[in-house]
Amino acid sequence: MSPLPSSTFFSSIHQQSVSRPNLNRLFFCLIRHGICLTLWLIVFLICIPVQGFSQNDLDIPQLSIQTQSYFHNPETGTYLYRNAKVEWEGIIVESTEINYHPESHKLTASGYVRVTEGEIVAVMDELEINVKDGTGIFRDTIVYDASNKAYMTAKEVRRLGENHYVAEICTFTTCNPKSPAWQITGGKVNYYTQNFSSSHATTLRIGGVTAFYFPFISWPTVKRRQSGFLPPEYLIVRSSVRKWDLGYRFGIPYFWAIDPEQDLTLTYDWVERRGTGLRMDYQYALTEGMRGGIKYQQFFERDPRDPENESGSLSADEIESTDLRPKRFKFEFNHNLQLDDQSRLIFSALAYSDSQFQKEYELVENPSLTAQNLSASINRQFSKGSVTLSATQIRKFGELALLNRRIASQTQNSPVFTFQFSDIFWRSGETTLSRGISGSIVRWYEFQGSNGEEVSVTPELSLVFPVFRHFDASLGINERYSRSRSRDPNVPGSEKEVEYQIMHGNAQIGTTLSRIFSRESGFYSRLKHLIGTTLKYDYIEDVEGSGEATRRLTTLRLNNTLLAKRRYFERSVKLTSLSLDRMRRNHVDAVIIRKLELIQGQEFGSEKLFMEQLDKLFGETFSAQQKDSILTYTEKGVAPLLSSQARGQTREGKTWTLASLNFVQHYDFLKKDPYFRPIGEAIKGNETESGQPSCSRTGCPLLPLRTSLTFNPGPGFSISYFNRYHHQIRQVVEYSAGMSFNASAHNKASVNFRKNEFAYQTPYGNDVAAANTFGFGNSFEASDELAFGFSGNVNLDADSTAFRRRLTSTVFTLDYRPDCWNIRLALTENVGKTTTSSGREKEYIDRTLYAYINLGGVRIKEQAYTYLE
């Protein structure tokens, strides 16, 4: 316990002239004894509180008291402190008037009272607290939690223990509590600063208007969990197509924290145009290395569906009346278990009741038509490989039609054993020889009842070696041995056995040349030009029954890359008196300002030197965030006009790619022979056609030349260009260009254009559609509170005679983020297609407005309002 502050005494001594020396000696003796008596009196007075606070009970915390003045009442045994500050066990009480009773360990305060505990600051009119057990009562108080930036206002708040408060009839908000944009009013609030808080009989008020009532609500103040209702979910989906028109959708989720290892979320759904629904989400992690979950959704639709529009390829007459109210559900299960340090067991299951569930209730624009997907696997890892035993089954619906549940395909692989091993078994200088082997054993079943087995093994070798001084080469080869047997129990004599081996190979040689250009002045200090050339031959053997297309393809690549190091001018940094004044006005800690006064007026050649000086002043405990904050108050020196003056204050930045220009040329040897016919799969790639000048009957072997260019002059600006030049017709058949520009981190824009006259397939089997499109996008943050953005795509080849929309998709977003809440609006417009009852495809425009609201720690989910034409 620290003693009370000593008082300051003022006295004046009037000295008179005395002629006799003995009187002078007596006078000075009296003065000396008076000073000694005064000092003893001061010490005695200071020790009085210390004697009053000395306790025999060792559980009583030691108090530290600072006060301007105090008064001790010997009859009641209490102490009255004015303009005082009392500290114990992390709690600080400050008030204009504090009373303390040592015997009852009770501390009371009135007037202006402030209590600080960690990141909790409470301001109140009256306080009663027991310094021994920490329980107390705050009256007419406002509690601020800095960790959550939240305010709690109440007539009375009880402190039940460390970081635990209970308030009766109070409000909770992250806004200014005197004029909140939103607030939660609760009959009783349990607030845990390091736990999960909850409120009973709660209303949510927005702008003074009651928006929702919660019998019980809980919200996290840290990552721990507690049971309770979660914020409601709102959604509106409107469409011109009746089967996609859901109307309003409202969900109330309840979270049940079963124990630290498992939890369950139950959600009641109400859909305006459908009926009620139930969602269940169970998660568990019962032991270390194990995790999983079960999700189930079901909707109980009250109205029959329309067979004319939802039977698909089936005739409406084929649909029974009992099938017009189908059961709508989704089931999902995942389990992941680590058996040991090298092994893991995984189960998963996914099932849908129909093909439309994803699009209707999960808002998936292009559903996968999955009916069922089951898998199980056990994997064991080794230092140079792994083995896996698995089983899978996949079933898909035939079409997107609710009343047609025909399964179009089913594939089942059970069991499947796969393995793979590889290592480098020989090395000499820069030459390495690697070996590997992989394979599988599969038992498979198909939808129509056919089944079979397949065994395959693929050994491989890879050699990397230098050819000449600057050239490196690589050679890879693998041979796949496969044997399969298939049968159809429904067809006698259908058993068939296939055995094949197929070889893959690739050879590559390449080099990279470079040259560095140094510059004494200018924007860039150094440039480095890299020229890389690669010649590669890709080979796949033509084998019947392998399921792979043969390939004889040569590729020549020429890459040009320009790297740059940018020259930056280092402006000097200085802390002036104006800098320190701004810091004082912004209430920067006075201790920090006093230390910074030691370097006031000193000029540092760069920010790095200034940061090093801060490390010397404050030590390693001073955070980078604090140093960056001080840097914002500094004043920068003036950049000299002449480059000779600035040369000594420059530094090199990091290397980045300033520009690149790449050429890719394919040559297909299979197109040279007009009489070649593959015995296996058809040859992939149709970029060139027969009948062109200098082409054979099967097409031209010299494929179009691909050129790509990128230019990045700075971190906020880039340009890209791509084209394909057709040699035989001597024109560019495809090209695209794009540009992105970042005026700052808060303002970004981009545009792109693509034109492809003919659809084609690459030699690797990739299909590219014809297109003539233009895209654009921009995002702009006007301030810390307001931001907006837009993007879209335009079809430049839209047919004006038919109903084909040129603007195929657009998105406009608006974000408004005040201090205590934020709202995000997104307006989307897309062109979709639907099939009418007559079987004709029809285009429609779908406009949807999404609203996302976050009120501090309380989240209201997205809401969608759709307008169509």
Side-chain angles (χ1 to χ4, degrees):
M1 178 190 330
S2 63
L4 295 175
S6 60
S7 303
T8 304
F9 296 89
F10 297 92
S11 62
S12 61
I13 299 176
H14 179 68
Q15 297 185 7
Q16 297 181 353
S17 301
V18 180
S19 58
R20 288 177 290 184
N22 58 342
L23 292 178
N24 290 334
R25 237 183 341 265
L26 177 60
F27 180 74
F28 286 112
C29 182
L30 289 174
I31 291 176
R32 184 170 65 250
H33 283 81
I35 293 174
C36 292
L37 289 173
T38 302
L39 292 176
W40 277 108
L41 180 61
I42 292 173
V43 173
F44 178 74
L45 291 174
I46 291 176
C47 291
I48 289 177
V50 177
Q51 294 174 357
F53 293 157
S54 62
Q55 307 290 336
N56 296 325
D57 190 351
L58 298 178
D59 295 334
I60 299 174
Q62 188 176 13
L63 303 182
S64 174
I65 305 175
Q66 301 178 35
T67 182
Q68 182 179 6
S69 63
Y70 77 96
F71 173 76
H72 173 58
N73 189 337
E75 294 181 0
T76 60
T78 59
Y79 293 85
L80 173 63
Y81 304 96
R82 300 189 185 279
N83 298 327
K85 177 179 178 182
V86 181
E87 298 182 51
W88 77 97
E89 294 185 348
I91 301 176
I92 302 174
V93 177
E94 301 171 85
S95 177
T96 55
E97 192 173 280
I98 297 178
N99 281 277
Y100 179 60
H101 195 288
E103 293 184 3
S104 62
H105 320 300
K106 184 178 180 181
L107 188 147
T108 61
S110 60
Y112 172 80
V113 186
R114 183 170 67 179
V115 178
T116 306
E117 180 185 3
E119 295 187 323
I120 292 288
V121 179
V123 179
M124 66 212 70
D125 292 340
E126 294 182 17
L127 165 69
E128 294 180 12
I129 191 168
N130 189 307
V131 299
K132 184 177 180 180
D133 58 19
T135 60
I137 302 176
F138 306 162
R139 293 188 177 90
D140 294 325
T141 181
I142 298 176
V143 180
Y144 175 70
D145 187 352
S147 61
N148 298 299
K149 298 181 179 179
Y151 294 90
M152 186 168 60
T153 305
K155 284 289 184 182
E156 184 175 284
V157 176
R158 293 184 178 271
R159 186 185 188 276
L160 302 183
E162 184 178 2
N163 297 318
H164 183 193
Y165 301 86
V166 174
E168 300 287 345
I169 310 177
C170 75
T171 63
F172 172 85
T173 184
T174 56
C175 305
N176 184 339
K178 295 182 179 180
S179 57
W182 70 271
Q183 65 180 9
I184 290 177
T185 302
K188 181 180 179 181
V189 172
N190 276 279
Y191 194 82
Y192 300 84
T193 59
Q194 296 298 323
N195 203 318
F196 214 94
S197 302
S198 60
S199 175
H200 298 267
T202 305
T203 57
L204 171 64
R205 298 175 64 87
I206 300 177
V209 179
T210 300
F212 199 79
Y213 173 78
F214 307 88
F216 179 81
I217 188 173
S218 58
W219 65 92
T221 51
V222 289
K223 295 181 180 179
R224 291 183 59 184
R225 308 164 304 153
Q226 181 170 311
S227 302
F229 283 99
L230 301 178
E233 302 172 355
Y234 302 95
L235 187 68
I236 297 178
V237 181
R238 303 304 306 269
S239 174
S240 59
V241 182
R242 183 178 178 183
K243 60 183 176 181
W244 310 133
D245 191 12
L246 301 183
Y248 297 91
R249 180 173 173 179
F250 177 73
I252 302 177
Y254 178 82
F255 178 79
W256 179 22
I258 303 173
D259 55 43
E261 289 78 31
Q262 52 186 335
D263 58 59
L264 174 66
T265 302
L266 294 173
T267 304
Y268 169 81
D269 277 300
W270 181 80
V271 185
E272 180 190 7
R273 305 287 175 90
R274 296 289 187 266
T276 59
L278 180 67
R279 284 180 282 159
M280 180 189 75
D281 186 355
Y282 171 68
Q283 300 181 95
Y284 60 87
L286 302 178
T287 61
E288 184 178 357
M290 181 182 72
R291 62 183 183 274
I294 299 174
K295 296 181 180 180
Y296 182 75
Q297 301 181 38
Q298 183 171 350
F299 289 87
F300 309 94
E301 299 186 354
R302 61 176 179 268
D303 299 326
R305 305 304 287 255
D306 181 9
E308 291 291 336
N309 295 318
E310 303 189 59
S311 57
S313 58
L314 295 178
S315 172
D317 299 333
E318 300 179 51
I319 307 299
E320 299 290 338
S321 59
T322 56
D323 296 332
L324 298 181
R325 286 189 177 90
K327 187 177 181 180
R328 313 294 304 278
F329 69 85
K330 173 191 176 182
F331 174 78
E332 185 176 0
F333 169 67
N334 290 284
H335 179 78
N336 193 311
L337 174 63
Q338 184 176 349
L339 303 177
D340 54 41
D341 292 340
Q342 296 176 269
S343 305
R344 185 169 288 277
L345 177 66
I346 300 175
F347 291 102
S348 67
L350 177 64
Y352 284 98
S353 60
D354 54 82
S355 59
Q356 288 187 187
F357 190 96
Q358 280 185 296
K359 188 171 179 64
E360 283 187 59
Y361 292 114
E362 297 183 308
L363 303 182
V364 177
E365 194 64 32
N366 299 303
S368 62
L369 302 183
T370 299
Q372 182 177 303
N373 191 334
L374 306 175
S375 68
S377 67
I378 182 171
N379 174 269
R380 178 134 183 118
Q381 296 286 333
F382 302 95
S383 59
K384 296 181 180 180
S386 66
V387 295
T388 302
L389 180 64
S390 63
T392 61
Q393 184 187 77
I394 301 175
R395 306 177 69 193
K396 287 186 174 293
F397 292 107
E399 60 181 331
L400 188 64
L402 171 61
L403 302 180
N404 182 5
R405 303 194 180 191
R406 180 180 60 87
I407 301 297
S409 65
Q410 174 176 312
T411 304
Q412 180 174 330
N413 297 323
S414 176
V416 179
F417 176 76
T418 59
F419 63 91
Q420 62 88 19
F421 294 91
S422 63
D423 70 335
I424 299 176
F425 73 96
W426 182 76
R427 184 191 300 272
S428 177
E430 297 181 3
T431 302
T432 60
L433 182 61
S434 304
R435 61 185 175 184
I437 185 170
S438 61
S440 63
I441 303 174
V442 181
R443 177 84 165 105
W444 55 269
Y445 304 85
E446 287 188 351
F447 177 67
Q448 299 296 338
S450 61
N451 60 83
E453 305 88 23
E454 181 181 9
V455 178
S456 66
V457 178
T458 306
E460 57 183 333
L461 290 173
S462 178
L463 177 65
V464 178
F465 57 95
V467 182
F468 307 111
R469 182 177 179 182
H470 298 291
F471 287 83
D472 294 322
S474 65
L475 177 64
I477 186 171
N478 69 70
E479 187 87 11
R480 181 182 180 188
Y481 300 89
S482 178
R483 183 174 182 178
S484 63
R485 184 169 52 196
S486 62
R487 67 192 69 83
D488 190 344
N490 301 319
V491 180
S494 62
E495 185 168 341
K496 180 181 180 182
E497 187 169 330
V498 176
E499 182 177 354
Y500 69 88
Q501 64 184 66
I502 181 171
M503 186 180 72
H504 295 72
N506 64 78
Q508 179 174 302
I509 184 172
T511 185
T512 300
L513 305 175
S514 65
R515 184 176 179 183
I516 297 177
F517 303 91
S518 298
R519 305 178 50 149
E520 294 297 329
S521 62
F523 194 69
Y524 303 107
S525 59
R526 280 188 292 175
L527 300 173
K528 185 176 182 179
H529 182 204
L530 300 175
I531 302 177
T533 180
T534 303
L535 182 64
K536 180 180 179 180
Y537 179 69
D538 194 4
Y539 171 84
I540 298 179
E541 187 178 1
D542 184 20
V543 176
E544 184 180 4
S546 66
E548 295 188 64
T550 183
R551 187 181 299 155
R552 310 281 193 278
L553 187 69
T554 298
T555 303
L556 174 64
R557 294 179 180 271
L558 180 63
N559 298 333
N560 290 270
T561 304
L562 185 62
L563 305 177
K565 280 183 174 289
R566 185 177 176 182
R567 180 179 282 113
Y568 292 91
F569 173 73
E570 289 277 9
R571 298 176 64 183
S572 60
V573 178
K574 182 168 57 174
L575 269 175
T576 65
S577 59
L578 294 177
S579 303
L580 298 178
D581 288 341
R582 287 197 300 269
M583 296 174 73
R584 293 186 185 97
R585 285 196 300 269
N586 291 329
H587 306 290
V588 176
D589 192 345
V591 176
I592 295 177
I593 296 177
R594 283 198 299 270
K595 286 191 177 183
L596 292 176
E597 288 175 349
L598 299 175
I599 60 172
Q600 178 182 340
Q602 295 184 25
E603 190 166 1
F604 299 89
S606 65
E607 293 182 0
K608 180 181 179 181
L609 295 176
F610 180 73
M611 292 295 191
E612 292 175 354
Q613 183 62 44
L614 293 181
D615 289 334
K616 294 178 182 179
L617 283 176
F618 299 99
E620 297 180 356
T621 58
F622 208 57
S623 66
Q625 183 179 1
Q626 289 174 305
K627 290 189 288 186
D628 291 338
S629 177
I630 292 176
L631 186 62
T632 60
Y633 291 99
T634 60
E635 296 186 9
K636 303 296 193 309
V638 179
L641 296 176
L642 299 178
S643 59
S644 59
Q645 292 177 311
R647 191 173 303 168
Q649 288 182 255
T650 58
R651 63 176 176 87
E652 282 188 336
K654 295 181 179 180
T655 301
W656 91 93
T657 302
L658 177 62
S660 64
L661 178 61
N662 303 325
F663 303 93
V664 179
Q665 178 64 69
H666 295 299
Y667 189 89
D668 194 343
F669 284 93
L670 293 176
K671 294 183 179 294
K672 290 183 63 177
D673 185 1
Y675 303 102
F676 175 79
R677 293 291 182 272
I679 60 177
E681 294 289 324
I683 301 173
K684 295 184 182 298
N686 60 355
E687 293 187 73
T688 59
E689 300 178 357
S690 59
Q692 300 291 342
S694 71
C695 290
S696 64
R697 186 166 54 88
T698 58
C700 301
L702 188 65
L703 304 185
L705 171 67
R706 288 173 163 80
T707 303
S708 61
L709 169 68
T710 60
F711 178 54
N712 303 287
F717 182 69
S718 66
I719 298 175
S720 62
Y721 176 77
F722 168 81
N723 70 27
R724 285 191 317 123
Y725 176 77
H726 203 298
H727 303 279
Q728 284 71 34
I729 61 178
R730 297 182 180 180
Q731 73 177 46
V732 174
V733 292
E734 178 187 6
Y735 61 92
S736 63
M739 182 182 69
S740 64
F741 175 71
N742 301 344
S744 67
H746 312 288
N747 188 358
K748 303 177 181 180
S750 64
V751 293
N752 60 80
F753 171 79
R754 178 173 177 264
K755 183 175 178 61
N756 179 33
E757 296 185 5
F758 311 104
Y760 64 92
Q761 185 184 68
T762 69
Y764 300 97
N766 299 323
D767 294 313
V768 182
N772 187 11
T773 61
F774 174 75
F776 57 89
N778 176 249
S779 62
F780 178 70
E781 296 184 21
S783 65
D784 293 339
E785 295 184 350
L786 182 63
F788 63 88
F790 59 88
S791 62
N793 287 288
V794 180
N795 181 10
L796 300 178
D797 282 341
D799 185 2
S800 59
T801 60
F803 183 62
R804 296 190 62 188
R805 177 87 168 179
R806 287 189 177 273
L807 191 61
T808 57
S809 66
T810 55
V811 178
F812 177 80
T813 61
L814 176 67
D815 291 270
Y816 180 56
R817 303 181 295 267
D819 292 336
C820 59
W821 66 288
N822 64 71
I823 180 170
R824 177 180 177 84
L825 301 176
L827 175 63
T828 65
E829 181 180 277
N830 293 286
V831 175
K833 290 184 179 180
T834 185
T835 304
T836 63
S837 57
S838 61
R840 184 175 60 89
E841 279 195 341
K842 179 182 178 181
E843 282 189 338
Y844 65 91
I845 300 173
D846 186 354
R847 293 192 183 98
T848 306
L849 175 66
Y850 294 91
Y852 170 84
I853 302 174
N854 189 330
L855 303 177
V858 180
R859 175 172 297 179
I860 297 179
K861 301 232 173 173
E862 285 188 354
Q863 303 178 60
Y865 306 88
T866 306
Y867 305 90
L868 303 112
E869 62 183 32

